[in-house]
Amino acid sequence: MIMEEHERPLTGGKFAFVTMLNISITVVEIVGGLLAGSLALVTDAIHNFGDSLSIVLSYSAQRIGQRDQDERATFGYHRVEILTAFVNSLVLILISIVLVWEGIQRLLHQQPINGYVMFWTALISFSFNMGSALLMHADSRGSLNIKATYLHLLADALASIAVIIGSLMVLAFHIYWIDAALTIVVSLYIIYETVDVVKQTSKILLQNAPVLDYDAITEAMTRVPGVVDVHHLHAWMEDEKDIIFSAHVNITPDAIEDIEWITAQETQLLQQRFNICHVTVQIEITHGLNSAKFAKHEML
Ligand SMILES: [Zn+2]
Ligand SMILES: [Zn+2]
């Protein structure tokens, strides 16, 4: 599963070319897998299909995500990408679980496999995977995102090598169970690749708090002249990089004239020191003074 960062648009023919290669591998492996009777090839085909799908989906989600905020989405459309990646990963994991089950069935009831077809199919998909990895390699120094894609494609090429070795074992020793074993290994590899994306995206969708030093934030906010207390902090992720923050700030009665200055100070502090992208501050005097740092259910 390849999850793209949206600040680096998937531009240019290179990504399109790599996607085309991935789709070709999918087709070759499905045809070859069915002809050879190799479940491992079909499994790897599904893996490559998942990769192509995630590139295409994140490309289109990215385009939607670039739309401006409007009445229907005051936060904008960035989370289309998050939701897409979440659903995509979840489906891949479910398919992989089915494939692990199928692999176990195959281990118990072995079926003959055409080693020649398996070998050539795996060889073709290996060269396509390796080709796209090398294509990415040149650009992988500057961008973390492209580097992740490169490493992913490289790992995928290694999976093809495993299938090549498996086909040689089928050819030389008629060890048919190797196909079922590879199916299970490749499926587990897909799950391993994908689980992290599910974790990250579900955290964002569940409004889980980003990792911030909330004690340091409270302390710094309270140190602004005129401020006596801070309560009901909320922080959440709009997408994988933008943090939204809100808090109630108690000030002394004689600081009322400085409300705009205090708000500006707090906003600047949060944006510059804590990398928060959007800040909302509610100024209060006695209201909610000394209530919990993180809101309980009463609205103060
Ligand atoms: Zn992959
Ligand atoms: Zn309050």
Side-chain angles (χ1 to χ4, degrees):
M1 173 62 64
I2 304 173
M3 192 184 167
E4 312 293 345
E5 292 170 35
H6 71 249
E7 77 263 42
R8 212 178 292 282
L10 293 172
T11 46
K14 232 173 216 183
F15 271 104
F17 189 65
V18 169
T19 311
M20 289 284 288
L21 277 179
N22 260 294
I23 292 171
S24 322
I25 299 170
T26 307
V27 175
V28 168
E29 282 186 329
I30 283 198
V31 174
L34 292 176
L35 285 177
S38 160
L39 193 60
L41 278 176
V42 175
T43 306
D44 202 44
I46 288 168
H47 166 215
N48 281 298
F49 176 70
D51 286 353
S52 326
L53 197 68
S54 81
I55 296 177
V56 173
L57 283 180
S58 65
Y59 183 74
S60 39
Q62 204 175 69
R63 297 195 73 103
I64 299 173
Q66 279 165 357
R67 274 193 217 160
D68 288 336
Q69 283 96 325
D70 58 28
E71 280 179 355
R72 289 195 305 158
T74 57
F75 282 103
Y77 292 88
H78 289 162
R79 279 201 183 174
V80 171
E81 230 179 303
I82 305 296
L83 185 66
T84 306
F86 176 75
V87 173
N88 191 8
S89 314
L90 216 56
V91 170
L92 259 186
I93 288 178
L94 290 177
I95 293 174
S96 307
I97 291 171
V98 172
L99 285 168
V100 169
W101 174 252
E102 284 293 318
I104 294 170
Q105 296 301 309
R106 278 272 180 127
L107 271 183
L108 299 173
H109 315 281
Q110 291 183 30
Q111 283 165 29
I113 293 154
N114 185 327
Y116 285 106
V117 178
M118 188 180 171
F119 172 79
W120 286 110
T121 310
L123 194 67
I124 293 171
S125 63
F126 166 75
S127 47
F128 281 17
N129 260 324
M130 204 59 206
S132 34
L134 290 176
L135 221 83
M136 286 291 143
H137 181 64
D139 299 324
S140 68
R141 276 155 206 269
S143 148
L144 216 65
N145 182 30
I146 296 181
K147 190 174 181 186
T149 311
Y150 160 68
L151 289 175
H152 181 124
L153 291 167
L154 199 65
D156 289 358
L158 290 179
S160 309
I161 290 187
V163 181
I164 292 177
I165 293 170
S167 69
L168 291 175
M169 288 173 81
V170 169
L171 276 174
F173 310 110
H174 299 281
I175 305 175
Y176 294 133
W177 59 261
I178 192 78
D179 185 68
L182 282 171
T183 301
I184 295 169
V185 171
V186 174
S187 306
L188 291 177
Y189 169 63
I190 302 174
I191 294 174
Y192 165 78
E193 257 185 6
T194 316
V195 133
D196 211 40
V197 180
V198 172
K199 267 198 224 159
Q200 282 177 32
T201 49
S202 56
K203 268 187 194 164
I204 294 171
L205 294 171
L206 285 171
Q207 304 273 72
N208 277 9
V211 183
L212 292 169
D213 186 346
Y214 292 97
D215 288 332
I217 289 180
T218 319
E219 209 207 297
M221 286 182 77
T222 315
R223 221 182 279 151
V224 171
V227 174
V228 288
D229 191 29
V230 177
H231 60 276
H232 290 188
L233 273 64
H234 287 286
W236 67 98
M237 308 281 289
E238 187 194 331
D239 50 34
E240 73 271 29
K241 70 172 185 33
D242 293 332
I243 301 174
I244 318 276
F245 182 91
S246 76
H248 293 190
V249 173
N250 292 100
I251 59 168
T252 55
D254 46 334
I256 287 180
E257 283 181 7
D258 303 324
I259 281 180
E260 288 205 338
W261 181 82
I262 291 172
T263 310
Q265 289 296 307
E266 300 287 26
T267 306
Q268 199 184 41
L269 175 92
L270 288 160
Q271 285 177 340
Q272 285 172 1
R273 254 183 72 188
F274 298 98
N275 238 336
I276 286 158
C277 133
H278 188 269
V279 176
T280 306
V281 167
Q282 174 170 315
I283 303 282
E284 297 169 334
I285 296 172
T286 53
H287 197 241
L289 191 59
N290 297 323
S291 15
K293 195 201 297 182
F294 300 108
K296 300 276 188 316
H297 284 294
E298 82 275 20
M299 302 287 275
L300 286 171

